[in-house]
């Protein structure tokens, strides 16, 4: 019975991962909620933000704590984009705005949040700042670096 359950679970996980294409992973190195530092929690939990697509062609985001095996995930809507050109004292940057319809897998809470993602192109690599404001108006802020590439032009 255990073998059958394990095989079925493996099959389901394989099917789920086959439907999902990761566009970019943002490793969190600094985190806060309402200006209270929660960086240690995210570092200990292996926190990151990932953007991905599914077979339906829509854009999704997940806020993941990999070592705790938990995440908030869901589809992004109403995207807007602005670019800032590099200047003498500023790096080139892209700013994205989204509405995020999310669900927490750890408590089944659902909601909609405003998301602002800033990608800053430095010579050493791409850093990011991500602000998430859910309906309760808490302000979650994440900073870190980007792995991979990211092109939201199709979404």
């Amino acid at each position: 019975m255990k073998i059958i359950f394990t095989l079925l679970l493996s099959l389901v996980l394989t099917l789920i991962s086959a439907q999902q294409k990761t566009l970019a992973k943002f490793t969190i190195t600094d985190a806060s909620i309402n200006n209270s530092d929660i960086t240690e929690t995210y570092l200990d939990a292996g926190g990151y933000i990932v953007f991905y697509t599914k077979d339906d062609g829509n854009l999704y985001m997940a806020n993941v704590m990999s070592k705790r095996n938990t995440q908030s995930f869901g589809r992004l809507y109403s995207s807007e984009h602005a670019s800032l050109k590099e200047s003498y004292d500023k790096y080139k940057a892209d700013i994205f705005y989204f509405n995020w319809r999310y669900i927490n897998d750890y408590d089944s809470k659902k909601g909609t949040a405003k998301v602002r993602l800033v990608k800053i192109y430095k010579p050493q690599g791409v850093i990011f700042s991500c602000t998430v404001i859910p309906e309760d108006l808490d302000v979650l802020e994440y900073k870190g670096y980007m792995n991979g590439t990211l092109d939201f032009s199709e979404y």
Side-chain angles (χ1 to χ4, degrees):
M1 187 66 176
K2 286 183 182 179
I3 293 173
I4 293 172
F5 176 75
T6 303
L7 289 174
L8 285 174
L9 181 61
S10 295
L11 177 63
V12 168
L13 292 174
T14 300
L15 289 173
I16 289 171
S17 66
Q19 298 172 354
Q20 186 173 309
K21 178 185 174 192
T22 298
L23 299 175
K25 177 181 173 184
F26 293 85
T27 301
I28 297 170
T29 59
D30 185 71
S32 67
I33 184 167
N34 298 325
N35 292 319
S36 293
D37 188 7
I38 55 170
T39 300
E40 189 173 336
T41 300
Y42 270 83
L43 293 177
D44 290 345
Y48 64 89
I49 296 170
V50 64
F51 289 86
Y52 60 96
T53 60
K54 290 183 173 182
D55 290 340
D56 63 10
N58 293 309
L59 182 63
Y60 294 81
M61 182 178 102
N63 183 352
V64 180
M65 289 187 162
S66 60
K67 293 179 184 174
R68 292 185 180 181
N69 202 26
T70 64
Q71 64 178 331
S72 300
F73 61 95
R75 186 171 168 206
L76 295 168
Y77 296 89
S78 306
S79 64
E80 294 180 32
H81 172 253
S83 287
L84 302 176
K85 296 184 189 272
E86 186 173 2
S87 68
Y88 174 75
D89 59 346
K90 293 183 182 177
Y91 294 106
K92 177 184 175 203
D94 284 312
I95 305 170
F96 302 93
Y97 299 92
F98 304 99
N99 288 325
W100 181 36
R101 183 76 180 141
Y102 68 90
I103 183 168
N104 299 333
D105 70 358
Y106 50 90
D107 66 4
S108 299
K109 178 184 173 192
K110 296 179 182 181
T112 302
K114 296 283 188 183
V115 177
R116 177 179 173 254
L117 174 71
V118 179
K119 289 175 38 185
I120 302 165
Y121 302 89
K122 296 181 90 174
Q124 304 87 337
V126 179
I127 60 172
F128 82 95
S129 171
C130 183
T131 304
V132 179
I133 304 174
E135 342 32 44
D136 63 6
L137 300 181
D138 281 340
V139 178
L140 295 88
E141 296 183 88
Y142 307 101
K143 294 178 183 175
Y145 60 91
M146 185 178 108
N147 303 84
T149 62
L150 184 58
D151 182 5
F152 286 139
S153 62
E154 297 179 30
Y155 309 99

